[in-house]
Amino acid sequence: MTTAPERTHRTSRPPMTQVAGRLINGSVRRSYEPAVAIDWDAPLVEGKYFLPKEVISLYGTAYWEELTEEQRIELSRQELANVLSVGLWFENILNRGLLLQLLREDPASPFAHYVLTEMGDECRHMTMFGKVIDRVGARPFRMRFADRVMASALPHFLRGSLLWVGALIGEEIFDAQQRRIMGDPELQPVVAQLMRIHVTEEARHIRFAREGVVHRMQDASRFERFLVANLQGIGGPVMQRALVHKGIYHRAGLDADRALREARANPHHREMAVVGFAPLAAFLEENGLMGRVARRMWQRAGFLP
Ligand SMILES: [Fe+2]
Ligand SMILES: [Fe+2]
Protein backbone atom coordinates (compact mmCIF):
# COMPACT_ATOMS: atom_id res chain seq x y z
CA MET A 1 0.00 0.00 0.00
CA THR A 2 1.16 3.55 -0.63
CA THR A 3 1.52 6.02 2.18
CA ALA A 4 -0.78 9.04 2.10
CA PRO A 5 1.07 12.39 1.85
CA GLU A 6 -0.03 13.55 5.30
CA ARG A 7 1.79 10.64 6.84
CA THR A 8 5.15 11.42 5.32
CA HIS A 9 7.38 13.90 7.12
CA ARG A 10 10.35 16.11 6.47
CA THR A 11 11.07 17.32 9.99
CA SER A 12 11.86 15.47 13.19
CA ARG A 13 8.14 15.12 14.03
CA PRO A 14 7.01 11.51 14.39
CA PRO A 15 5.06 10.29 11.37
CA MET A 16 1.29 9.99 11.66
CA THR A 17 1.45 6.20 11.90
CA GLN A 18 3.60 6.56 15.02
CA VAL A 19 1.30 9.21 16.49
CA ALA A 20 -1.66 6.93 15.79
CA GLY A 21 0.10 3.97 17.41
CA ARG A 22 0.72 5.93 20.61
CA LEU A 23 -2.85 7.18 20.72
CA ILE A 24 -4.15 3.64 20.30
CA ASN A 25 -2.07 2.60 23.31
CA GLY A 26 -3.43 5.57 25.26
CA SER A 27 -6.97 4.55 24.32
CA VAL A 28 -6.37 0.99 25.50
CA ARG A 29 -5.09 2.28 28.84
CA ARG A 30 -7.77 4.87 29.45
CA SER A 31 -11.21 4.81 27.87
CA TYR A 32 -14.64 4.96 29.43
CA GLU A 33 -17.88 3.19 28.85
CA PRO A 34 -20.38 5.84 30.01
CA ALA A 35 -23.09 3.20 30.48
CA VAL A 36 -21.17 2.02 33.55
CA ALA A 37 -18.78 4.95 34.26
CA ILE A 38 -21.64 7.34 35.06
CA ASP A 39 -23.93 6.78 38.01
CA TRP A 40 -27.22 7.05 36.10
CA ASP A 41 -29.34 6.25 39.13
CA ALA A 42 -27.98 9.05 41.32
CA PRO A 43 -30.68 11.66 41.86
CA LEU A 44 -30.18 15.20 40.59
CA VAL A 45 -29.03 17.53 43.35
CA GLU A 46 -31.61 20.15 44.23
CA GLY A 47 -30.36 23.72 43.75
CA LYS A 48 -27.28 22.83 41.70
CA TYR A 49 -26.62 24.34 38.30
CA PHE A 50 -26.37 22.29 35.10
CA LEU A 51 -23.63 24.59 33.82
CA PRO A 52 -21.63 27.01 35.97
CA LYS A 53 -23.20 30.47 36.09
CA GLU A 54 -20.14 32.09 34.54
CA VAL A 55 -20.61 30.31 31.22
CA ILE A 56 -24.33 31.01 30.89
CA SER A 57 -25.01 33.44 28.07
CA LEU A 58 -26.99 35.90 30.19
CA TYR A 59 -24.66 35.93 33.21
CA GLY A 60 -23.72 39.50 34.03
CA THR A 61 -26.59 41.15 32.12
CA ALA A 62 -29.43 43.28 33.53
CA TYR A 63 -31.83 40.48 32.61
CA TRP A 64 -29.82 37.97 34.67
CA GLU A 65 -30.18 40.22 37.72
CA GLU A 66 -33.97 40.08 37.35
CA LEU A 67 -34.13 36.27 37.16
CA THR A 68 -35.00 34.15 40.18
CA GLU A 69 -32.63 31.36 41.24
CA GLU A 70 -35.07 28.80 39.76
CA GLN A 71 -35.11 30.62 36.42
CA ARG A 72 -31.33 30.75 36.36
CA ILE A 73 -31.06 27.03 37.06
CA GLU A 74 -33.65 26.29 34.38
CA LEU A 75 -31.70 28.40 31.89
CA SER A 76 -28.55 26.44 32.80
CA ARG A 77 -30.44 23.18 32.11
CA GLN A 78 -31.55 24.38 28.67
CA GLU A 79 -28.09 25.72 27.79
CA LEU A 80 -26.59 22.36 28.76
CA ALA A 81 -29.14 20.54 26.57
CA ASN A 82 -28.24 22.90 23.74
CA VAL A 83 -24.48 22.51 24.03
CA LEU A 84 -24.80 18.71 24.20
CA SER A 85 -27.09 18.75 21.16
CA VAL A 86 -24.55 20.80 19.23
CA GLY A 87 -21.88 18.33 20.35
CA LEU A 88 -24.01 15.48 18.99
CA TRP A 89 -24.42 17.16 15.60
CA PHE A 90 -20.74 17.88 15.40
CA GLU A 91 -19.65 14.36 16.32
CA ASN A 92 -22.10 12.94 13.80
CA ILE A 93 -20.56 15.08 11.03
CA LEU A 94 -17.03 14.25 12.16
CA ASN A 95 -17.66 10.51 12.23
CA ARG A 96 -19.06 10.56 8.72
CA GLY A 97 -16.06 12.60 7.55
CA LEU A 98 -13.73 10.07 9.16
CA LEU A 99 -15.59 7.14 7.63
CA LEU A 100 -15.19 8.67 4.17
CA GLN A 101 -11.50 9.27 4.89
CA LEU A 102 -11.15 5.58 5.72
CA LEU A 103 -12.24 4.66 2.20
CA ARG A 104 -8.95 6.21 1.03
CA GLU A 105 -6.77 4.67 3.72
CA ASP A 106 -4.94 1.38 4.22
CA PRO A 107 -7.19 -0.59 6.57
CA ALA A 108 -4.18 -2.45 7.97
CA SER A 109 -2.40 0.74 9.14
CA PRO A 110 -2.34 2.13 12.69
CA PHE A 111 -3.65 5.35 11.17
CA ALA A 112 -6.88 3.65 10.10
CA HIS A 113 -7.10 1.84 13.41
CA TYR A 114 -6.86 5.01 15.41
CA VAL A 115 -9.49 6.69 13.22
CA LEU A 116 -11.78 3.76 14.04
CA THR A 117 -10.93 4.05 17.74
CA GLU A 118 -11.80 7.74 17.69
CA MET A 119 -15.07 7.01 15.92
CA GLY A 120 -15.89 4.50 18.64
CA ASP A 121 -15.17 7.15 21.30
CA GLU A 122 -17.52 9.54 19.53
CA CYS A 123 -20.27 6.91 19.33
CA ARG A 124 -20.08 6.48 23.10
CA HIS A 125 -20.00 10.27 23.56
CA MET A 126 -23.13 10.69 21.47
CA THR A 127 -24.88 8.06 23.56
CA MET A 128 -23.67 9.76 26.73
CA PHE A 129 -24.81 13.22 25.58
CA GLY A 130 -28.25 11.90 24.67
CA LYS A 131 -28.60 10.07 27.96
CA VAL A 132 -27.53 13.11 30.00
CA ILE A 133 -30.01 15.35 28.16
CA ASP A 134 -32.70 12.88 29.15
CA ARG A 135 -31.35 12.42 32.67
CA VAL A 136 -31.46 16.15 33.47
CA GLY A 137 -35.07 16.30 32.32
CA ALA A 138 -34.48 18.31 29.14
CA ARG A 139 -35.16 17.62 25.49
CA PRO A 140 -32.51 17.64 22.76
CA PHE A 141 -32.45 20.53 20.29
CA ARG A 142 -32.97 19.26 16.76
CA MET A 143 -31.49 20.56 13.53
CA ARG A 144 -33.75 22.41 11.17
CA PHE A 145 -34.30 20.87 7.75
CA ALA A 146 -31.93 23.24 5.92
CA ASP A 147 -29.21 22.65 8.48
CA ARG A 148 -29.68 18.92 8.20
CA VAL A 149 -29.23 19.11 4.43
CA MET A 150 -25.99 21.04 4.91
CA ALA A 151 -24.80 18.69 7.65
CA SER A 152 -25.41 15.75 5.30
CA ALA A 153 -23.32 17.31 2.56
CA LEU A 154 -20.52 18.66 4.75
CA PRO A 155 -18.51 15.43 5.31
CA HIS A 156 -17.96 15.19 1.54
CA PHE A 157 -16.14 18.55 1.57
CA LEU A 158 -14.16 17.91 4.74
CA ARG A 159 -11.07 16.39 3.23
CA GLY A 160 -7.38 16.63 4.08
CA SER A 161 -6.52 19.64 6.20
CA LEU A 162 -10.13 20.86 6.18
CA LEU A 163 -11.18 17.70 8.03
CA TRP A 164 -8.51 18.22 10.69
CA VAL A 165 -9.21 21.92 11.13
CA GLY A 166 -12.97 21.28 11.18
CA ALA A 167 -12.44 18.66 13.87
CA LEU A 168 -10.41 21.10 15.95
CA ILE A 169 -13.07 23.82 15.68
CA GLY A 170 -15.68 21.37 16.97
CA GLU A 171 -13.45 19.93 19.70
CA GLU A 172 -11.15 22.59 21.07
CA ILE A 173 -13.64 25.34 21.90
CA PHE A 174 -15.80 23.00 23.98
CA ASP A 175 -12.74 21.34 25.44
CA ALA A 176 -11.23 24.59 26.72
CA GLN A 177 -14.54 25.42 28.37
CA GLN A 178 -15.04 21.95 29.87
CA ARG A 179 -11.57 21.97 31.39
CA ARG A 180 -12.32 25.20 33.17
CA ILE A 181 -15.72 24.20 34.50
CA MET A 182 -15.62 20.45 35.22
CA GLY A 183 -14.20 20.94 38.71
CA ASP A 184 -16.88 23.44 39.77
CA PRO A 185 -18.37 22.12 43.04
CA GLU A 186 -21.71 23.76 42.22
CA LEU A 187 -22.18 21.59 39.13
CA GLN A 188 -24.67 18.70 39.01
CA PRO A 189 -22.51 15.55 39.56
CA VAL A 190 -23.77 13.83 36.39
CA VAL A 191 -22.60 16.79 34.30
CA ALA A 192 -19.20 16.85 36.02
CA GLN A 193 -18.79 13.10 35.33
CA LEU A 194 -19.69 13.59 31.67
CA MET A 195 -17.14 16.36 31.31
CA ARG A 196 -14.35 14.39 32.95
CA ILE A 197 -14.88 11.48 30.55
CA HIS A 198 -15.15 13.75 27.56
CA VAL A 199 -12.07 15.85 28.36
CA THR A 200 -9.92 12.72 28.80
CA GLU A 201 -10.89 11.17 25.48
CA GLU A 202 -10.99 14.41 23.51
CA ALA A 203 -7.39 15.17 24.51
CA ARG A 204 -6.34 12.29 22.21
CA HIS A 205 -8.63 13.45 19.39
CA ILE A 206 -7.22 16.97 19.61
CA ARG A 207 -3.66 15.67 19.57
CA PHE A 208 -4.45 13.56 16.49
CA ALA A 209 -6.12 16.43 14.62
CA ARG A 210 -3.36 18.90 15.53
CA GLU A 211 -0.68 16.47 14.31
CA GLY A 212 -2.79 15.93 11.19
CA VAL A 213 -2.80 19.67 10.49
CA VAL A 214 0.94 20.07 11.09
CA HIS A 215 1.85 17.10 8.86
CA ARG A 216 -0.50 18.14 6.14
CA MET A 217 0.83 21.71 6.13
CA GLN A 218 4.37 20.48 5.45
CA ASP A 219 3.32 19.41 1.97
CA ALA A 220 0.40 21.76 1.35
CA SER A 221 0.41 24.06 -1.65
CA ARG A 222 0.03 27.80 -1.09
CA PHE A 223 -3.45 27.52 -2.53
CA GLU A 224 -4.52 24.84 -0.04
CA ARG A 225 -3.07 26.86 2.82
CA PHE A 226 -4.86 30.01 1.69
CA LEU A 227 -8.13 28.15 1.24
CA VAL A 228 -8.07 26.46 4.64
CA ALA A 229 -6.82 29.61 6.39
CA ASN A 230 -9.89 31.49 5.23
CA LEU A 231 -12.58 28.83 4.98
CA GLN A 232 -12.07 27.91 8.63
CA GLY A 233 -13.57 31.33 9.49
CA ILE A 234 -17.04 29.92 8.73
CA GLY A 235 -16.69 28.15 12.09
CA GLY A 236 -17.20 31.49 13.87
CA PRO A 237 -20.74 32.35 12.73
CA VAL A 238 -21.73 28.67 12.79
CA MET A 239 -20.68 28.33 16.42
CA GLN A 240 -22.28 31.62 17.39
CA ARG A 241 -25.59 30.66 15.82
CA ALA A 242 -25.53 27.19 17.32
CA LEU A 243 -24.68 28.26 20.87
CA VAL A 244 -26.86 31.33 21.37
CA HIS A 245 -30.37 31.34 19.91
CA LYS A 246 -33.96 32.11 20.86
CA GLY A 247 -34.99 28.46 21.16
CA ILE A 248 -32.99 28.12 24.39
CA TYR A 249 -34.72 31.11 26.02
CA HIS A 250 -38.15 29.99 24.82
CA ARG A 251 -37.69 26.65 26.54
CA ALA A 252 -36.43 28.37 29.68
CA GLY A 253 -39.64 30.41 29.72
CA LEU A 254 -37.90 33.76 29.22
CA ASP A 255 -38.55 36.75 26.97
CA ALA A 256 -36.58 35.29 24.05
CA ASP A 257 -36.14 38.56 22.13
CA ARG A 258 -34.76 40.41 25.11
CA ALA A 259 -32.61 37.47 26.19
CA LEU A 260 -31.03 37.08 22.75
CA ARG A 261 -30.39 40.82 22.49
CA GLU A 262 -28.72 41.00 25.89
CA ALA A 263 -26.76 37.77 25.41
CA ARG A 264 -25.36 38.98 22.08
CA ALA A 265 -24.28 42.27 23.64
CA ASN A 266 -22.98 40.64 26.85
CA PRO A 267 -19.28 41.51 27.29
CA HIS A 268 -18.88 38.72 29.85
CA HIS A 269 -20.22 36.13 27.41
CA ARG A 270 -17.89 37.46 24.74
CA GLU A 271 -14.97 37.15 27.10
CA MET A 272 -15.85 33.48 27.74
CA ALA A 273 -16.00 32.86 23.98
CA VAL A 274 -12.59 34.50 23.49
CA VAL A 275 -11.05 32.44 26.30
CA GLY A 276 -12.55 29.24 24.84
CA PHE A 277 -11.21 29.92 21.36
CA ALA A 278 -7.78 31.19 22.48
CA PRO A 279 -5.80 27.89 22.39
CA LEU A 280 -7.09 27.00 18.92
CA ALA A 281 -6.59 30.57 17.66
CA ALA A 282 -2.96 30.40 18.82
CA PHE A 283 -2.47 27.03 17.09
CA LEU A 284 -3.96 28.29 13.83
CA GLU A 285 -1.76 31.42 13.97
CA GLU A 286 1.36 29.31 14.58
CA ASN A 287 0.62 27.21 11.53
CA GLY A 288 -0.17 30.12 9.25
CA LEU A 289 -3.84 29.18 9.15
CA MET A 290 -5.50 32.38 10.34
CA GLY A 291 -6.28 34.26 7.15
CA ARG A 292 -7.63 37.82 7.07
CA VAL A 293 -11.14 36.80 6.11
CA ALA A 294 -11.26 34.13 8.81
CA ARG A 295 -9.95 36.49 11.46
CA ARG A 296 -12.69 38.99 10.67
CA MET A 297 -15.35 36.24 10.82
CA TRP A 298 -14.18 34.99 14.22
CA GLN A 299 -14.04 38.57 15.48
CA ARG A 300 -17.53 39.33 14.28
CA ALA A 301 -18.82 36.15 15.89
CA GLY A 302 -17.28 37.24 19.20
CA PHE A 303 -14.49 34.65 19.47
CA LEU A 304 -11.56 37.01 18.88
CA PRO A 305 -11.04 40.37 20.58
FE1 LIG B 1 -16.52 13.57 21.71
FE1 LIG C 1 -13.66 14.07 19.53
Side-chain angles (χ1 to χ4, degrees):
M1 268 329 259
T2 54
T3 307
E6 66 260 39
R7 281 179 282 143
T8 61
H9 58 113
R10 288 198 204 116
T11 67
S12 57
R13 289 192 95 81
M16 280 305 270
T17 42
Q18 207 171 313
V19 174
R22 277 193 211 141
L23 291 172
I24 290 169
N25 290 337
S27 308
V28 170
R29 278 197 303 275
R30 207 156 167 225
S31 286
Y32 295 92
E33 175 46 78
V36 291
I38 290 184
D39 184 1
W40 297 103
D41 298 325
L44 296 177
V45 183
E46 184 94 28
K48 287 214 171 191
Y49 277 70
F50 294 89
L51 281 176
K53 289 179 205 164
E54 306 79 60
V55 302
I56 297 170
S57 59
L58 284 179
Y59 181 76
T61 61
Y63 200 1
W64 178 263
E65 294 308 317
E66 293 172 25
L67 298 182
T68 63
E69 186 70 0
E70 287 72 36
Q71 284 177 311
R72 291 174 178 176
I73 291 177
E74 182 54 27
L75 178 58
S76 78
R77 186 204 317 265
Q78 298 306 334
E79 290 207 4
L80 173 72
N82 184 68
V83 79
L84 294 179
S85 301
V86 174
L88 272 158
W89 305 343
F90 164 73
E91 297 195 343
N92 180 307
I93 293 168
L94 175 65
N95 263 11
R96 283 182 297 128
L98 290 173
L99 206 50
L100 289 172
Q101 165 90 21
L102 281 181
L103 286 176
R104 302 183 283 270
E105 294 293 335
D106 171 3
S109 69
F111 181 89
H113 298 162
Y114 183 70
V115 168
L116 286 163
T117 306
E118 177 164 329
M119 289 174 60
D121 292 347
E122 303 298 25
C123 284
R124 292 193 310 279
H125 296 168
M126 286 188 274
T127 311
M128 172 171 76
F129 293 172
K131 277 177 78 101
V132 168
I133 292 172
D134 183 57
R135 185 69 197 88
V136 302
R139 281 178 295 130
F141 287 83
R142 309 299 296 268
M143 275 186 175
R144 282 180 290 196
F145 177 72
D147 291 334
R148 224 159 48 225
V149 171
M150 275 190 286
S152 300
L154 194 56
H156 295 278
F157 297 98
L158 292 176
R159 293 180 67 152
S161 37
L162 269 182
L163 177 63
W164 301 123
V165 173
L168 286 173
I169 290 171
E171 290 175 336
E172 285 220 37
I173 298 175
F174 292 128
D175 185 71
Q177 220 174 40
Q178 284 170 5
R179 278 175 191 278
R180 286 193 11 262
I181 64 187
M182 64 184 180
D184 188 319
E186 289 311 305
L187 208 55
Q188 287 285 351
V190 68
V191 180
Q193 285 174 338
L194 170 145
M195 286 181 178
R196 251 174 252 127
I197 292 174
H198 203 236
V199 159
T200 304
E201 301 191 335
E202 288 300 317
R204 294 192 292 262
H205 303 177
I206 290 170
R207 169 88 204 286
F208 192 52
R210 279 189 171 215
E211 287 291 337
V213 169
V214 173
H215 277 86
R216 182 82 189 191
M217 281 304 120
Q218 288 169 1
D219 299 300
S221 65
R222 284 175 67 165
F223 179 68
E224 179 178 348
R225 200 180 284 268
F226 172 81
L227 207 67
V228 176
N230 287 294
L231 275 179
Q232 55 88 350
I234 296 169
V238 167
M239 280 289 191
Q240 184 192 37
R241 191 167 148 256
L243 295 178
V244 177
H245 60 85
K246 283 191 197 172
I248 300 168
Y249 307 117
H250 270 303
R251 286 200 191 172
L254 306 182
D255 172 349
D257 289 308
R258 181 181 172 195
L260 184 67
R261 208 170 45 241
E262 293 202 18
R264 284 266 157 89
N266 183 3
H268 179 79
H269 180 65
R270 196 183 168 102
E271 198 185 311
M272 289 291 113
V274 169
V275 169
F277 183 53
L280 177 56
F283 174 78
L284 292 170
E285 294 278 7
E286 271 163 37
N287 287 280
L289 286 174
M290 184 62 87
R292 276 170 56 189
V293 177
R295 189 188 311 279
R296 208 159 317 134
M297 290 175 98
W298 284 107
Q299 271 166 345
R300 235 188 251 168
F303 290 92
L304 277 178

